[in-house]
Amino acid sequence: MKPRTLGKYFSYFLTLILLTGCLSPIALNRAVIAYDEAVTDAISQQLLVNIVRAHYRQPIHFTGVSNIAATFTFAANAGATPALGGLAGATLMPIFGGSLAESPTISIVPIEGEEFTKRLLTPFPQSKLTLLLRQHYDVDMLLRMMAQEVRMEDSGQYGVYRNSPSDKTGYEMFRRVALHLSAIQDQNQLYAEPLLLTHTWTIPAATIAPDSFQSLQKEFVVHYNTADDTFSLRKQIPGPILITNYDPDSLSEQEREKLNARAREWDVSDVAFDIRDGYSGGEWPMSGFFRLRSFHAILGFLGKSLGAEAGYHVEKDSRTPPILGNENPDLTLAFSVSGTPPSGADFSIRWDNRYYAVNTSGPYARWNRDAFQLLFLLFQMTVTDLPRIGVPSITIAK
């Protein structure tokens, strides 16, 4: 073989080797996306199947992927063979080849145990709802899914209105209150902030050592009272979350203390609201608090909607500002149920020869997708860290 020809074949082989190196990150990118989609689809289908289980009063259970280790092996080879035509042995033709092998190892573990069960049964704290509100979720959607009841104050007494279609009076009042807050939110006038409380302490000046005075000033507003030789220490402490139609910072100290006194009756899973006259939505002044559900109760609520306790249309109160279109569906999360695999659904599950899917057709398709995404996020807030087996990795071998 001529040196020039040999060099040409060597350059071909070198190009093949370089191409395999370029394929490595491409294969890695595709693998990461593929595994990510598979895990997300698995969680979504588990959420859906557990809603169906709740409907049939079957135990709820989750399984998670704790570890994915995928090994990619790239191999390149080259050779030469006599040409099919011409003088035998006078001309050689190059042969190039390559192979790609993938060996994934996926670790699947059940999500169970006392810690997860407690998180599954414990009502969500108010901080989780406000966190989602700040992500611009519709307050009506959040409350319809997360709240089990609203307690409204009237002359010092609380009326309890359950978020359950079986309780017609309570359900319709709950829906109207949630719609009223949603209308205020549509006007960008809904606040969900912690109530800042000012605590004051009076300490005799003789009890404060000079070297500790500087550290006190870092945490408190310090004022010396010459009349009685004392120091007044003031500090603002975040209180409970309050949903309002006005800026909570505009409240006087007396009003803050009054609300704080009422807050002592609330639990960490209660979200208070105070809608006042003179502001957006003030045509219907109201105050009270929502009591939040656990994730287990949310699945049960959605499961009941597949049966006799499905939601129904509730018109807004006449004092409520206009509601934006497609923001008042009958169901918190609508499903389609059929005897054949649904066409056009994002995903579906099969249970007892019937197919279940999130309803992604019709005027409330966007609402249903957002509601299921909300359910996905609430599950992520509930699930504990999965036990890891080995070191999670995706490795490339050449």
Side-chain angles (χ1 to χ4, degrees):
M1 183 180 297
K2 297 180 180 179
R4 182 178 299 176
T5 304
L6 181 61
K8 180 173 66 175
Y9 292 160
F10 177 78
S11 66
Y12 290 158
F13 181 69
L14 182 60
T15 301
L16 180 61
I17 295 296
L18 293 175
L19 285 176
T20 59
C22 295
L23 286 174
S24 300
I26 296 175
L28 175 61
N29 291 340
R30 291 177 178 174
V32 170
I33 296 299
Y35 289 129
D36 180 74
E37 290 180 352
V39 172
T40 302
D41 289 347
I43 296 175
S44 300
Q45 292 183 39
Q46 283 190 79
L47 288 171
L48 185 53
V49 78
N50 276 303
I51 292 172
V52 178
R53 284 172 177 163
H55 169 64
Y56 288 105
R57 300 183 181 277
Q58 298 295 315
I60 290 172
H61 190 267
F62 288 93
T63 301
V65 176
S66 66
N67 184 17
I68 299 176
T71 301
F72 294 85
T73 303
F74 296 86
N77 53 73
T81 184
L84 296 178
L87 298 175
T91 305
L92 293 178
M93 294 295 294
I95 301 175
F96 300 107
S99 63
L100 167 64
E102 179 184 359
S103 301
T105 301
I106 301 175
S107 301
I108 301 175
V109 295
I111 307 175
E112 55 189 13
E114 182 179 0
E115 182 182 357
F116 174 67
T117 303
K118 284 182 179 179
R119 293 169 68 96
L120 196 66
L121 299 176
T122 301
F124 283 100
Q126 56 181 228
S127 59
K128 298 296 176 65
L129 183 137
T130 53
L131 175 64
L132 292 165
L133 269 178
R134 288 168 182 168
Q135 307 306 312
H136 304 292
Y137 271 92
D138 187 280
V139 67
D140 183 33
M141 179 186 295
L142 287 171
L143 293 173
R144 288 176 65 174
M145 184 172 292
M146 296 181 67
Q148 66 179 3
E149 64 189 31
V150 60
R151 300 194 173 199
M152 298 185 65
E153 186 179 13
D154 184 14
S155 302
Q157 301 294 321
Y158 284 105
V160 181
Y161 304 96
R162 297 174 57 222
N163 180 18
S164 174
S166 61
D167 178 5
K168 188 175 187 299
T169 301
Y171 179 70
E172 293 181 1
M173 176 59 78
F174 180 95
R175 289 281 303 276
R176 291 190 180 104
V177 173
L179 282 170
H180 194 74
L181 297 183
S182 180
I184 299 173
Q185 184 188 43
D186 290 341
Q187 298 178 3
N188 295 321
Q189 297 300 315
L190 192 71
Y191 296 82
E193 302 294 337
L195 184 64
L196 291 178
L197 306 174
T198 302
H199 289 201
T200 304
W201 300 267
T202 301
I203 302 176
T207 62
I208 301 179
D211 55 349
S212 63
F213 188 81
Q214 188 173 5
S215 62
L216 284 176
Q217 288 183 315
K218 294 179 180 179
E219 296 187 30
F220 303 91
V221 176
V222 182
H223 176 72
Y224 177 67
N225 305 307
T226 57
D228 54 3
D229 191 29
T230 60
F231 283 107
S232 295
L233 308 180
R234 298 175 68 249
K235 183 177 183 180
Q236 282 194 328
I237 300 176
I241 300 295
L242 187 64
I243 296 178
T244 63
N245 61 339
Y246 57 87
D247 187 351
D249 291 340
S250 64
L251 293 175
S252 66
E253 291 295 335
Q254 292 76 14
E255 290 176 309
R256 293 173 193 270
E257 287 301 327
K258 184 179 178 180
L259 287 172
N260 183 44
R262 289 169 50 196
R264 295 190 183 99
E265 305 173 6
W266 306 332
D267 190 77
V268 68
S269 61
D270 296 338
V271 181
F273 59 91
D274 185 40
I275 305 302
R276 298 190 175 187
D277 189 15
Y279 302 91
S280 175
E283 296 80 7
W284 185 11
M286 63 176 76
S287 63
F289 60 90
F290 294 93
R291 182 149 289 174
L292 301 184
R293 292 184 171 116
S294 66
F295 189 76
H296 187 274
I298 290 175
L299 294 179
F301 168 73
L302 295 175
K304 290 178 181 178
S305 69
L306 290 170
E309 292 192 45
Y312 54 88
H313 180 72
V314 176
E315 191 59 47
K316 71 178 182 67
D317 189 270
S318 59
R319 295 164 289 183
T320 298
I323 302 293
L324 295 181
N326 297 336
E327 284 195 2
N328 185 22
D330 296 351
L331 298 173
T332 304
L333 178 55
F335 304 96
S336 63
V337 185
S338 60
T340 58
S343 59
D346 296 339
F347 59 89
S348 64
I349 60 102
R350 182 182 179 185
W351 181 278
D352 196 21
N353 294 324
R354 296 181 71 79
Y355 292 87
Y356 297 82
V358 175
N359 189 349
T360 54
S361 61
Y364 296 112
R366 180 176 178 179
W367 172 283
N368 290 329
R369 282 194 171 100
D370 288 345
F372 192 82
Q373 184 190 54
L374 170 62
L375 183 68
F376 190 99
L377 291 175
L378 292 174
F379 173 70
Q380 296 297 323
M381 292 178 179
T382 304
V383 69
T384 55
D385 291 335
L386 299 179
R388 303 291 175 176
I389 302 174
V391 179
S393 61
I394 296 180
T395 60
I396 301 294
K398 294 190 287 185

